[in-house]
Amino acid sequence: MKDYIQHDPWKIIEQGFHKEDNRISESIFSIGNGKMGQRGNFEEHYSGDSMPGNYVAGVYYPDKTRVGWWKNGYPEYFAKVLNAASWIGLDVHVNGERLDLHTAEILDFRRELDMREGWLKRTFKARLLNGNIVEVEALRFLSIADDECGALRYSVKAVNFSGDIEVKSFLNGDVVNEDSNYDEQFWVEIAKSVEGNAGVIVSETKKTAYQVAIGMKFEIFKNDELQDLDYANEALKMYVSGSSKLDVVEGDQIVVYKYACNVSSRYYAADQLLEKAEEAVNRAHSIGFDNMLEDQAKAWADKWQHSDIVVEGDDAAQQGIRFNIFHLNQTYTGEDARLNIGPKGFTGEKYGGVTYWDTEAYCVPFYLCTAPQEVTRKLLIYRHNQLGRAIENAEKLGFDKGAALYPMVTMNGEECHNEWEITFEEIHRNGAIAYAIFNYIRHTDDKEYLAEYGLEVLMGISRFWAQRVNWSEGLEKYVMLGVTGPNEFDNNVDNNWYTSYIAMWCLKYTEESLAYVKENHPKRYEEIVQNASFDASAEVAKWREIREKMYLGYDEKRNIFIQADGFFNKEQILVKDLDPKHLPLVHHWSWDRILRSNFIKQADVLQGLYMFEEEFDLETLKSNYDFYEPRTVHESSLSPCVHSIIAAKLGDEDRAYEFYLRTSRLDLDDYNSDTKDGLHITSMAGTWMSVVEGFGGKRVVDGQLTLSPMLPKQWKSYSFKVSFKGNTILVKVTDSGVEVTHEEGQGLQIKLYDEEINIKANTSIVVHR
Ligand code: BGC
């Protein structure tokens, strides 16, 4: 754990340079705008420890898989988000000495991320080896309003010297990924241009042949006056720069404004990129830094207007929840259905950029309630676009007749995770993808989605389940063999309850969806059935039979669902009885020992009870929680939020708060000692879920929004917003009661605790507790 980030409701602040934690800070101070992102690297040269990171959404490299023993069905490659060209670089020489905070004496240092307005600022005062002292302020952002562009302002003040300051502004595409499997550089240069204060580099990814052009234009002011300078230009391998030396006297201030862009062949023809990049930087330059910054603040104000959670009485909690919402909003903006949300977003290489089930199970609930409907719709269409690939993926494993197995990890629809237990066995991800369609429709009433896209996905998924089950003569039941549930500490097991339950649910939901489309969109129904060569009566009859005869492990004595066959053959030990020095298990125990233990990595049975809570009584929820919770080590960041929501439902407020804390400040406090690799973007949505679904008790029951808020005793009050079926409401919870204010839409009938409440448009209702 670390606690050097200062608490503040809207800002993330590092006061004093924490050199040894620089990689952690670089992750925490990452910025993005849905199309690109970058770690909080310094603009000027830094020779200390740092992990450069610039990422362009959707641009990836298929790094050749490394495995010991090849098995049929393995993915050929592991898709990697690429460390791409950087535009922030400025080399500053002060009387001939290069400014470098690793070698200079740092007299003062502060880094701050303004989440309200979406910019990153660094100020410092440093004494160089030659005794010259500079005062620097660097402010930059990636524009949400114009998502091809970014800008920075860098000012250097000559505090105690006269002489000269040389500024070299550059673009650097000569970069590598730290996690490259074979130490390969993934980019090749295609073109570059540099003249005076402007330059462009066009590079192409090997194998995938994406072209990306990065452009810059900069200008330099001295004491508020634009300087008419001659620039010396350099053009090296994937690198261009322009530099100029300025005379200064003590007290002078040099300010560089640098405008930059990233444009890619995902949006433009490759041969137009150079021109498009020039156009984009010129656009940014003509709008100007201050106006761009103002547009940025407005765009962020709009995001906060719909997604903010306000906590009174606890700055650490307030900062934590806003930090999570901020990162979710800068990672995915819902502009492009070809993009998705990687577990590390734009903040690091590990897992970076690739799509997991995290999107459907965790991120969808967040975007559904806090962003326009289109945003989630795009996330769903992403999977529809990849249906063909999911069918091919299933074929590779021996399935046929349109059965679809979505990948556990993907960039373009193909499976690209190279751990076999995950690739072949964590098939529960198919269930989450179907569930997200259901979740979307119950929040939006957009049933047309089924006819347009959803049904085809559901049919492919259900066909997969129907082929994946086995009939067991002995049990006279359908069984699901050789799977891994969400708990990856229990591999290659039979009858994982969560997987079998969600499979059954998918079969039922697909049947209902078929009936809906048949009745309401008969022409489209015929088209879908024909395209998929779907034998409706035979296939649906089979699905019904499977549902009716699916084996689900149940322990009557304990009234719990059995996580998987063999679970009770394991020695039953509780986490509280483990010597804490063994934790996290994944770092201290052999894989063999982990697999033989009863310890649970993340919510598994409880994940199912969370998703299908309506189908179980409170007593069942409680007995399962009481049994599984004490065996769970939460070694996935996706885990505590589910436990927090269930604890809140069961009235265990203290545990609910404790679990919430583990997700809320996970990265800010480096809880799992891995923030240096990047932030846990997808589990950030889990934090939002813990507040809104946990403390707020938000559910959708029979198509109706229901709330049953509690107030954690550590807080004075909290408020959150929920968009639901065209309405937005603001819910404020204090110790005296709950105030619901209607903000957008026509009005809404909700259930608050157990009371039916009709909130008319633009009115408020207060319910005392
Ligand atoms: C979890 C998975 C998750 C993945 C990416 C793993 O540690 O066990 O459930 O999909 O991380 O976040």
Side-chain angles (χ1 to χ4, degrees), residues 211-264:
Q211 287 197 13
V212 177
I214 185 165
M216 69 165 176
K217 184 164 191 167
F218 63 97
E219 50 197 17
I220 302 181
F221 286 69
K222 186 163 103 180
N223 301 331
D224 294 335
E225 242 175 70
L226 180 61
Q227 303 295 293
D228 185 13
L229 300 167
D230 286 332
Y231 293 99
N233 293 123
E234 249 180 331
L236 308 171
K237 180 191 163 204
M238 289 191 265
Y239 174 98
V240 294
S241 69
S243 62
S244 209
K245 201 182 266 186
L246 293 97
D247 293 330
V248 290
V249 295
E250 199 174 302
D252 277 354
Q253 190 173 39
I254 304 291
V255 181
V256 187
Y257 287 92
K258 184 171 182 178
Y259 302 92
C261 74
N262 248 311
V263 290
S264 82

Side-chain angles (χ1 to χ4, degrees), residues 209-343:
Y210 289 114
Q211 287 197 13
V212 177
I214 185 165
M216 69 165 176
K217 184 164 191 167
F218 63 97
E219 50 197 17
I220 302 181
F221 286 69
K222 186 163 103 180
N223 301 331
D224 294 335
E225 242 175 70
L226 180 61
Q227 303 295 293
D228 185 13
L229 300 167
D230 286 332
Y231 293 99
N233 293 123
E234 249 180 331
L236 308 171
K237 180 191 163 204
M238 289 191 265
Y239 174 98
V240 294
S241 69
S243 62
S244 209
K245 201 182 266 186
L246 293 97
D247 293 330
V248 290
V249 295
E250 199 174 302
D252 277 354
Q253 190 173 39
I254 304 291
V255 181
V256 187
Y257 287 92
K258 184 171 182 178
Y259 302 92
C261 74
N262 248 311
V263 290
S264 82
S265 58
R266 291 180 68 89
Y267 299 97
Y268 299 109
D271 61 1
Q272 289 179 2
L273 285 181
L274 208 120
E275 202 182 303
K276 289 289 171 194
E278 282 168 3
E279 240 174 71
V281 277
N282 285 333
R283 183 171 72 235
H285 175 247
S286 67
I287 296 173
F289 187 86
D290 291 341
N291 290 334
M292 280 179 80
L293 194 56
E294 214 173 285
D295 292 345
Q296 176 80 342
K298 278 191 204 137
W300 271 103
D302 188 48
K303 292 207 177 285
W304 286 115
Q305 162 67 17
H306 290 97
S307 57
D308 196 15
I309 289 182
V310 181
V311 176
E312 270 189 310
D314 186 340
D315 273 358
Q318 176 67 86
Q319 184 184 43
I321 184 70
R322 285 211 174 111
F323 183 67
N324 292 302
I325 296 170
F326 176 73
H327 275 288
L328 285 162
N329 280 330
Q330 62 172 2
T331 304
Y332 186 74
T333 52
E335 305 276 319
D336 182 347
R338 294 170 305 166
L339 300 179
N340 210 283
I341 305 150

Side-chain angles (χ1 to χ4, degrees), residues 490 493-494 562-572 596:
D490 209 16
V493 289
D494 295 339
I562 303 171
Q563 185 180 272
D565 289 1
F567 189 78
F568 285 113
N569 295 337
K570 297 180 171 195
E571 189 186 355
Q572 297 297 314
R596 283 184 291 107

Side-chain angles (χ1 to χ4, degrees), residues 342-344 351 354-359 362 408-409 417 422 426 428 485-489 601-602 635-638 680 682-683:
K344 300 264 178 225
Y351 297 139
V354 286
T355 307
Y356 279 76
W357 72 303
D358 305 27
T359 294
Y362 295 85
M408 185 66 182
V409 170
H417 197 299
I422 294 178
E426 265 198 69
H428 65 82
N487 170 22
E488 292 173 348
F489 288 178
K601 180 183 179 191
Q602 69 199 86
E635 289 186 21
S636 160
S637 60
L638 300 176
H680 298 83
T682 50
S683 80

